[in-house]
């Protein structure tokens, strides 16, 4: 027996079920949205904390890298290479330098002035070392140790040439600093340099908890001894370095030194200033007199600098002519007074 449903019986318009289902669906959707929003807020807070920790780590790493040569920390940061006690024997060119007269000057200066002079000197010398690609090993008081050949070598001859070029630039920069310090009342500060080329052990020395990338060997001691023998503004090189650079730089034999810790006498050559020892147009012009300091570095000049330099030189020439006219007039007036007195 079948049951026939009429349209009136199928009418659900006044039923409570559809609104209830709709309300329940909305509640479920709102609960899901609330849960997803809370997760989003949590992820956002975590990402913000992670970004803060990353920025802090980057800031710390940037600060720590100032204590380590870039040739050492860059491979570690880029490739996450392992760091351990390891070294090898390699042919390198080593430079020792310091300031002549600094010890005597330190006895008569305040600690603030002494620190200012030393920091200015180290800043300028470090910039030059970075420009030439040297590994700045360490600062020793007013001295510094640099070397070429590891971890990136351009060949033994080119390493020696780069080292000597760096030393010459340091000597020239010291002339500018000396003029600046002279105006401040500090006299007699000169650089001296010792350079040699030979085999040393270079790499990470120390322990698993503390490492130092440095050089150890007889050649390092030789460079230090040569630096001690050098005079004001002298760059002394050993025979091994001289053989590499003699075709590019004019050198003058100084002496055969008996050095502490070295059995045989060591021949040393002085590297002459290229601007004074060649007949070619020099890339440098340096001349110093009391009240006058001319320092031109054509290597670092840019094309748009020449006009400004010419204008400043013309202004200086006009001032010199004005001062010269004053001197001539003063001499003429003095001469007239003397003539009048004689009459």
């Amino acid at each position: 027996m079948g049951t026939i449903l009429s349209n009136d019986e199928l009418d659900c318009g006044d039923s409570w079920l559809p609104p209830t289902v709709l309300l329940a669906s909305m509640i479920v959707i709102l609960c899901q949205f609330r849960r997803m929003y809370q997760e989003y807020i949590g992820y956002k807070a975590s990402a913000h904390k992670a970004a803060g920790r990353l920025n802090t780590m980057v800031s710390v790493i940037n600060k720590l890298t100032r204590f380590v040569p870039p040739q050492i920390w860059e491979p570690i940061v880029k490739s996450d290479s392992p760091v351990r006690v390891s070294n090898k024997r390699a042919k390198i060119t080593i430079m020792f330098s310091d300031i002549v007269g600094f010890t005597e000057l330190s006895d008569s200066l305040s600690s603030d002035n002494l620190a200012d002079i030393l920091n200015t000197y180290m800043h300028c010398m470090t910039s030059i070392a970075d420009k030439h690609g040297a590994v700045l090993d360490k600062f020793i008081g007013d001295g510094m140790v640099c070397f070429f050949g590891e971890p990136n070598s351009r060949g033994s001859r080119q390493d020696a040439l780069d080292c000597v070029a760096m030393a010459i630039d340091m000597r020239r920069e010291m002339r500018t600093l000396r003029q600046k310090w002279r105006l401040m009342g500090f006299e007699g500060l000169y650089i001296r340099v010792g350079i040699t080329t030979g085999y040393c052990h270079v790499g990470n020395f120390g322990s698993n908890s503390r490492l130092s990338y440095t050089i150890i060997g007889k050649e390092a001691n030789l460079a230090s001894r040569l630096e001690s023998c050098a005079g004001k503004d002298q760059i002394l090189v050993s025979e091994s370095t001289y053989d590499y650079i003699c075709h590019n730089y004019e050198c003058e034999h100084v002496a055969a030194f008996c050095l502490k810790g070295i059995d045989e006498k060591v021949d040393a050559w002085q590297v002459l200033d290229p601007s004074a020892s060649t007949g070619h147009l020099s890339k440098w012009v340096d001349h110093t007199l009391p009240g006058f300091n001319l320092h031109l570095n054509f290597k670092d000049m840019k094309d748009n600098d020449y006009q400004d330099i010419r204008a400043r030189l013309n202004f200086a020439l006009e001032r010199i002519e004005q001062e010269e006219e004053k001197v001539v007039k003063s001499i003429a007036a003095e001469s007239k007074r003397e003539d009048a007195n004689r009459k």
Side-chain angles (χ1 to χ4, degrees):
M1 177 177 175
T3 301
I4 300 175
L5 299 176
S6 66
N7 290 336
D8 294 338
E9 291 174 338
L10 292 172
D11 186 8
C12 298
D14 296 332
S15 174
W16 56 269
L17 185 60
T20 303
V21 173
L22 179 61
L23 180 61
S25 299
M26 291 179 65
I27 291 173
V28 172
I29 293 173
L30 289 173
C31 289
Q32 290 289 344
F33 176 78
R34 183 173 181 273
R35 183 179 63 82
M36 293 177 64
Y37 180 74
Q38 288 178 341
E39 289 180 355
Y40 166 74
I41 295 298
Y43 290 144
K44 185 177 181 180
S46 299
H48 181 72
K49 291 180 180 178
R53 288 194 297 268
L54 180 61
N55 290 334
T56 301
M57 290 178 61
V58 171
S59 177
V60 171
I61 291 174
N62 287 336
K63 293 174 183 177
L64 291 176
T65 54
R66 298 172 67 181
F67 294 88
V68 184
Q71 296 91 337
I72 310 306
W73 65 260
E74 284 181 351
I76 297 174
V77 173
K78 290 180 179 179
S79 61
D80 192 23
S81 57
V83 178
R84 60 182 182 271
V85 177
S86 63
N87 51 77
K88 64 178 182 179
R89 188 170 181 265
K91 193 170 190 178
I92 58 178
T93 297
I94 311 161
M95 184 205 79
F96 275 69
S97 70
D98 72 351
I99 302 176
V100 181
F102 187 80
T103 303
E104 293 76 8
L105 183 66
S106 62
D107 295 333
S108 59
L109 288 181
S110 67
S111 58
D112 291 340
N113 287 333
L114 195 65
D116 180 66
I117 289 176
L118 191 57
N119 287 331
T120 301
Y121 168 76
M122 294 299 184
H123 170 75
C124 295
M125 298 303 118
T126 300
S127 298
I128 294 173
D130 290 341
K131 182 180 73 172
H132 287 273
V135 175
L136 177 51
D137 186 348
K138 62 176 72 73
F139 294 117
I140 308 175
D142 61 309
M144 60 190 300
V145 183
C146 299
F147 61 87
F148 293 79
E150 281 293 327
N152 303 313
S153 176
R154 300 176 62 191
S156 297
R157 182 174 183 274
Q158 189 59 51
D159 291 338
L161 290 170
D162 290 341
C163 187
V164 171
M166 177 185 69
I168 292 173
D169 281 353
M170 288 180 174
R171 178 168 62 184
R172 288 165 174 162
E173 182 65 22
M174 194 64 176
R175 295 174 185 172
T176 303
L177 293 176
R178 187 161 56 248
Q179 178 65 15
K180 174 183 175 181
W181 291 330
R182 183 179 291 116
L183 297 175
M184 298 169 62
F186 310 136
E187 295 281 351
L189 295 180
Y190 296 82
I191 192 174
R192 61 180 178 182
V193 177
I195 299 175
T196 189
T197 303
Y199 285 94
C200 283
H201 276 82
V202 55
N204 297 325
F205 293 86
S207 66
N208 291 329
S209 60
R210 179 68 181 271
L211 293 173
S212 176
Y213 188 87
T214 187
I215 50 176
I216 293 178
K218 177 182 176 182
E219 298 300 326
N221 296 331
L222 176 56
S224 176
R225 299 287 187 269
L226 286 174
E227 178 251 309
S228 301
C229 294
K232 294 180 178 180
D233 266 357
Q234 270 194 333
I235 300 173
L236 294 186
V237 300
S238 66
E239 185 172 7
S240 56
T241 304
Y242 170 78
D243 290 339
Y244 282 127
I245 69 165
C246 61
H247 298 294
N248 296 75
Y249 294 97
E250 186 171 345
C251 302
E252 182 180 80
H253 187 265
V254 176
F257 293 104
C258 295
L259 303 178
K260 181 180 178 181
I262 301 175
D263 297 332
E264 299 179 354
K265 288 187 176 182
V266 175
D267 286 307
W269 281 261
Q270 175 185 355
V271 180
L272 302 179
D273 194 328
S275 63
S277 60
T278 64
H280 303 289
L281 288 176
S282 172
K283 293 294 183 181
W284 289 78
V285 175
D286 290 292
H287 190 65
T288 302
L289 291 171
F292 174 78
N293 180 38
L294 178 62
H295 178 80
L296 297 177
N297 179 6
F298 294 100
K299 293 191 298 183
D300 293 338
M301 288 183 187
K302 297 179 175 57
D303 293 341
N304 55 355
D305 290 339
Y306 293 112
Q307 186 174 358
D308 183 46
I309 294 171
R310 187 182 294 108
R312 294 181 182 275
L313 289 174
N314 288 333
F315 175 77
L317 287 173
E318 291 176 1
R319 291 286 292 112
I320 291 173
E321 291 175 356
Q322 292 172 5
E323 294 298 321
E324 190 176 22
E325 288 178 2
K326 291 180 181 179
V327 172
V328 172
K329 290 179 180 179
S330 176
I331 294 175
E334 183 65 26
S335 177
K336 288 181 179 180
R337 284 195 296 270
E338 292 179 354
D339 292 340
N341 292 333
R342 281 195 295 268
K343 291 179 180 179

